[in-house]
Amino acid sequence: MYNNEQDKSQYEYHYSYQPSVDTYKAPAPMELKPRGRGKKIVALALCGALLIGGAFGAGWYLNNHRTAAAPSVPAGDVNDTAAPGDEGQLYVSDRPETEIGTVAVTGGEKLTFAQVYQANVDSCVSINTQAMATVGYNIFGQQIQREAASSGSGFILTSDGYIATNCHVVSNATAVQVTLNNGKSYAAEVVGSDSDYDIAVLKIDPGEDTLKPVVLGSSVGLNVGEDVSTIGNPLGELTFSMSRGMVSCLDRAINLEGTPFNMIQIDTAINPGNSGGPLFNAYGEVVGIVTAKTSSTGSGTAAEGLGFAIPIDDVRDLIKDIMENGKVTSRAYMGVTRGDAANYPECGVRSGAYLVSVVEDGPADKAGLKAGDVITMLGTTTITSGEDLSTAVSSSKVYKAGDTTTVTYVREGKVYTTELTFGSTLEMPETTASQPADPQQPDGYGDSYDYDYGNMEDFFEQFFGGSYGYGRRAA
């Protein structure tokens, strides 16, 4: 029951009063009226209905007319511009849609990220491979292999189907498939690769289709803080995704599985599947090849925003070499197996690259170097370790096949110099497995001991023979 003493304005209750049964009186009988008066009542009712319908129609028209003419969303508070009676109305922006149009990479004009994507997405590819992976050895010395699938990214170099990617994307692949942005897929052939630089060149037959190559820029002119972006295939599923960032550091020396790399450090989002994709500058030119992401340090500290790309100037000539010869022939070759002098106390030198062995008739042998020598300088570069020597020799920006440089080395406590002319990688022997073992490595093996006891099958395979990696590198 509603309390009449309360403030009715505060409530929305509806009520009716019912008298007690004792005081209830029946209403008087309804009095019948003449028929003529009934017609007037019907006419009045019809007129009222027409008036009410007209009022509703006019209200509907005015309401919809005011909504269509509502102003666009203001930059400030929407309530500041709301007119009386507009409560509950949506404000819709009347800004026209952005049209990018056709954009060409000319190198003379900076592009927005949207324009970089529009200009290059048709030049990017996703790569899917099938490969037999060696997971260890059994008690009979036989390799244990499994079929594995992987994915990566790449970019079109020429209109007739040459494509660049990372070596590790197609390493040991038995089948490679390349997919374009338009959805078309092609079987690809691995023309050649170079694991030291982690580059590979693929070839597809586009038939009557016209391919759109990228424009190669220069990584030398990059500066820390410049905008960069990449288009790739993260996780192998999110194809043709773009991520953006900036250059965090230049000439960053990092070590990937024993191989030293000179990298462009970026904070662009890099994930599995992005490997081999192009790194674009603000002009839409390719300035690097995305190759790695670091998510933790050696101590296990988590890290984000650390991506790396191979500078395009370091590998442009090598890519051309692979396209023409099927392999890198121009990279400098010295013909030695090296270690750290600190690991060989008998040499009497604490710092330098100790020559474990020298290839007969190789460039170093022809220059008079012998096993047991310690190289301390190559040209004007100081050498403090075996890795320093490998990095100095393999840098395509410094030395190529046929170049000559001065080598400073220590032999039996005396310092000597000699002139060395680098050979070609075509002169490299097929294997270095027969070379002497590094005494600092147990049983002559390298420093890679990768055991995975994730399941019983892996445990069984590793129990019958683990996979060892030979750690020394030739130069």
Side-chain angles (χ1 to χ4, degrees), residues 204-389:
I204 63 173
D205 181 7
E208 297 180 355
D209 297 334
T210 301
L211 301 181
K212 181 181 179 183
V214 298
V215 175
L216 300 181
S218 175
S219 52
V220 173
L222 280 177
N223 295 297
V224 174
E226 285 191 27
D227 289 334
V228 288
S229 58
T230 185
I231 300 173
N233 186 25
L235 306 182
E237 299 177 355
L238 307 177
T239 55
F240 304 100
S241 297
M242 184 181 197
S243 57
R244 53 167 285 187
M246 68 175 183
V247 176
S248 302
C249 184
L250 295 169
D251 298 320
R252 175 71 76 188
I254 66 170
N255 190 300
L256 295 180
E257 298 180 356
T259 301
F261 282 91
N262 172 48
M263 295 284 195
I264 303 169
Q265 182 183 325
I266 55 179
D267 69 350
T268 307
I270 303 298
N271 293 284
N274 277 115
S275 292
L279 182 71
F280 300 107
N281 62 11
Y283 297 88
E285 303 164 332
V286 175
V287 292
I289 303 177
V290 175
T291 191
K293 175 191 177 180
T294 296
S295 58
S296 63
T297 65
S299 62
T301 303
E304 288 295 336
L306 293 178
F308 298 93
I310 303 169
I312 197 65
D313 286 330
D314 285 7
V315 296
R316 183 189 292 109
D317 290 340
L318 305 182
I319 289 174
K320 291 179 181 178
D321 202 359
I322 294 175
M323 291 170 61
E324 296 172 359
N325 302 298
K327 62 176 67 176
V328 175
T329 63
S330 59
R331 186 158 56 86
Y333 168 62
M334 192 171 180
V336 299
T337 301
R338 83 293 182 277
D340 293 347
N343 293 337
Y344 299 84
E346 67 273 15
C347 71
V349 182
R350 296 182 179 180
S351 178
Y354 181 86
L355 301 188
V356 178
S357 65
V358 176
V359 177
E360 186 177 355
D361 293 329
D365 186 33
K366 293 177 181 178
L369 294 172
K370 297 180 180 180
D373 292 344
V374 177
I375 296 178
T376 57
M377 291 192 70
L378 191 67
T380 58
T381 302
T382 301
I383 305 299
T384 62
S385 65
E387 185 174 302
D388 283 352
L389 179 62

Side-chain angles (χ1 to χ4, degrees), residues 39-53:
K39 292 180 179 180
K40 294 181 180 179
I41 293 174
V42 171
L44 290 173
L46 290 174
C47 291
L50 289 173
L51 290 173
I52 293 172

Side-chain angles (χ1 to χ4, degrees), residues 332-334 363 366-367 378-380 398-407 418-423:
Y333 168 62
M334 192 171 180
K366 293 177 181 178
L378 191 67
T380 58
V398 181
Y399 300 114
K400 293 182 175 62
D403 290 348
T404 299
T405 189
T406 301
V407 179
T418 185
E419 296 296 311
L420 181 144
T421 300
F422 292 103

Side-chain angles (χ1 to χ4, degrees), residues 69-90:
S72 60
V73 178
D77 188 353
V78 173
N79 295 329
D80 292 343
T81 60
D86 283 349
E87 294 81 0
Q89 300 300 320
L90 297 178

Side-chain angles (χ1 to χ4, degrees), residues 134-271:
T134 300
V135 295
Y137 298 86
N138 60 22
I139 57 176
F140 305 105
Q142 299 170 323
Q143 291 183 348
I144 302 172
Q145 293 187 325
R146 290 181 184 173
E147 188 176 49
S150 62
S151 60
S153 305
F155 53 96
I156 298 171
L157 295 168
T158 64
S159 59
D160 58 342
Y162 283 97
I163 293 169
T165 186
N166 281 149
C167 176
H168 75 261
V169 171
V170 296
S171 179
N172 301 319
T174 56
V176 181
Q177 186 180 53
V178 168
T179 303
L180 305 185
N181 183 46
N182 59 14
K184 292 186 177 181
S185 295
Y186 305 85
E189 171 195 0
V190 180
V191 177
S193 62
D194 187 276
S195 59
D196 283 348
Y197 281 88
D198 198 16
I199 57 172
V201 176
L202 312 181
K203 180 67 169 66
I204 63 173
D205 181 7
E208 297 180 355
D209 297 334
T210 301
L211 301 181
K212 181 181 179 183
V214 298
V215 175
L216 300 181
S218 175
S219 52
V220 173
L222 280 177
N223 295 297
V224 174
E226 285 191 27
D227 289 334
V228 288
S229 58
T230 185
I231 300 173
N233 186 25
L235 306 182
E237 299 177 355
L238 307 177
T239 55
F240 304 100
S241 297
M242 184 181 197
S243 57
R244 53 167 285 187
M246 68 175 183
V247 176
S248 302
C249 184
L250 295 169
D251 298 320
R252 175 71 76 188
I254 66 170
N255 190 300
L256 295 180
E257 298 180 356
T259 301
F261 282 91
N262 172 48
M263 295 284 195
I264 303 169
Q265 182 183 325
I266 55 179
D267 69 350
T268 307
I270 303 298
N271 293 284

